[in-house]
Amino acid sequence: MCGIVGYIGKQDAAPLILESLRKLEYRGYDSAGIAVLNDGHITVRRCEGKLKNLENMLDRDPAIGTIGIGHTRWATHGRPSETNAHPHRAGDVVVVHNGIIENYLDLKEQLIERGTKFSSETDTEIVAHLVAEKISRGLDFLDAVKRSLKEIQGSYALLFLNQKDPQRLIVAKNSTPIVIGRGEGESFIASDIPALLDYTRKVAFLEDGEVAEVSVNSFRLFNGKGKSLQRPFKEI
Ligand code: GLU
């Protein structure tokens, strides 16, 4: 179990993500990490241990930007360490994950055969590489995520950010919870409602197999077959 948070809007993302992660810290405290996008460049800060360590790191060395993703980890694959902390990065893409990719060893072997270098022991890192590989072959960010999901088996809430694609976050769900929140000119993503309540009461839950593209003012949703779905936000 991990805690996931995402933000896209006009506020400084890092303090907001930290505050939301604090509400999810019960979900994991092996490590914490954040990725923030600004001016075409993603800054990643990660550290072992509790969220407080990340907070201290960001005090010393802030990450500026109005779009970002964050994570508190409960390790399942790979020991608790900074290198295994999320977000995981491949090329322009960073990802945070809650769950377990069951077929990660097979996929990892295939990626290694194609020349991919891994920097962590996690199951999650393969997902970043799958998506980055598809983007490098010319696929659009959303399509690259959709295609990659067809290759992975297991449980996941996945949240992606691409430094070449600053207008949207991509979210996917299978067997672990993820909720989208809508504010005024801003959108939020979290593993659980308490992380959003300081910012909005308008929420929409993803169902298993669904993928969403979340922008400042809009949200597009697709089922596992790629069919576009409508899901109004509910007031809670
Ligand atoms: N399997 C991932 C890892 O070990 C995510 C862990 C989790 O969701 O608890 O890093």
Side-chain angles (χ1 to χ4, degrees), residues 1-2 27 71-78 84 86 88 97-101 122-124:
M1 196 159 80
C2 297
R27 297 177 71 92
H71 189 263
T72 57
R73 179 171 185 238
W74 185 300
T76 67
H77 292 63
N84 288 332
H86 303 213
H88 289 287
H97 169 219
N98 174 24
I100 292 173
I101 308 300
T122 64
D123 50 339
T124 306

Side-chain angles (χ1 to χ4, degrees), residues 2-230:
C2 297
I4 288 179
V5 170
Y7 176 77
I8 177 164
K10 43 191 182 305
Q11 299 190 54
D12 195 8
L16 189 149
I17 290 170
L18 270 184
E19 194 50 47
S20 298
L21 284 175
R22 215 167 278 130
K23 308 267 172 26
L24 300 176
E25 207 178 4
Y26 69 92
R27 297 177 71 92
Y29 29 80
D30 287 329
S31 61
I34 194 168
V36 175
L37 170 57
N38 189 31
D39 215 4
H41 175 75
I42 286 177
T43 304
V44 178
R45 303 260 188 271
R46 312 182 296 179
C47 51
E48 196 180 332
K50 291 194 170 180
L51 200 54
K52 187 74 195 153
N53 299 347
L54 179 65
E55 201 179 325
N56 293 340
M57 183 184 261
L58 285 163
D59 279 347
R60 288 192 304 272
D61 204 0
I64 307 298
T66 59
I67 172 169
I69 61 177
H71 189 263
T72 57
R73 179 171 185 238
W74 185 300
T76 67
H77 292 63
R79 72 209 141 83
S81 66
E82 188 185 325
T83 46
N84 288 332
H86 303 213
H88 289 287
R89 180 169 193 158
D92 291 323
V93 175
V94 283
V95 64
V96 291
H97 169 219
N98 174 24
I100 292 173
I101 308 300
E102 306 284 358
N103 59 338
Y104 86 100
L105 272 179
D106 282 350
L107 292 170
K108 190 168 181 172
E109 276 169 22
Q110 292 166 23
L111 281 159
I112 289 170
E113 272 171 28
R114 298 200 289 273
T116 302
K117 300 260 183 296
F118 280 82
S119 53
S120 81
E121 304 152 343
T122 64
D123 50 339
T124 306
E125 190 185 348
I126 62 115
V127 187
H129 288 293
L130 288 176
V131 174
E133 191 180 59
K134 289 175 180 45
I135 290 173
S136 72
R137 290 180 186 160
L139 245 66
D140 163 75
F141 182 28
L142 177 62
D143 291 335
V145 171
K146 286 180 176 170
R147 287 277 186 92
S148 300
L149 295 175
K150 293 199 187 308
E151 293 175 43
I152 65 176
Q153 290 154 16
S155 60
Y156 51 80
L158 289 161
L159 174 57
F160 299 89
L161 173 62
N162 176 352
Q163 71 180 1
K164 294 268 167 59
D165 205 328
Q167 309 298 334
R168 54 184 175 166
L169 293 166
I170 310 287
V171 199
K173 173 195 166 6
N174 196 43
S175 300
T176 53
I178 197 91
V179 58
I180 298 171
R182 164 60 44 76
E184 292 299 321
E186 55 188 357
S187 296
F188 308 85
I189 294 140
S191 301
D192 202 356
I193 285 179
L196 305 180
L197 287 181
D198 283 348
Y199 312 104
T200 184
R201 303 271 153 170
K202 280 188 189 167
V203 301
F205 282 92
L206 259 60
E207 303 289 341
D208 284 349
E210 292 178 350
V211 182
E213 175 201 79
V214 181
S215 310
V216 170
N217 283 316
S218 65
F219 145 55
R220 291 203 296 155
L221 184 66
F222 306 89
N223 70 12
K225 292 184 174 136
K227 183 175 177 285
S228 173
L229 306 172
Q230 296 298 323

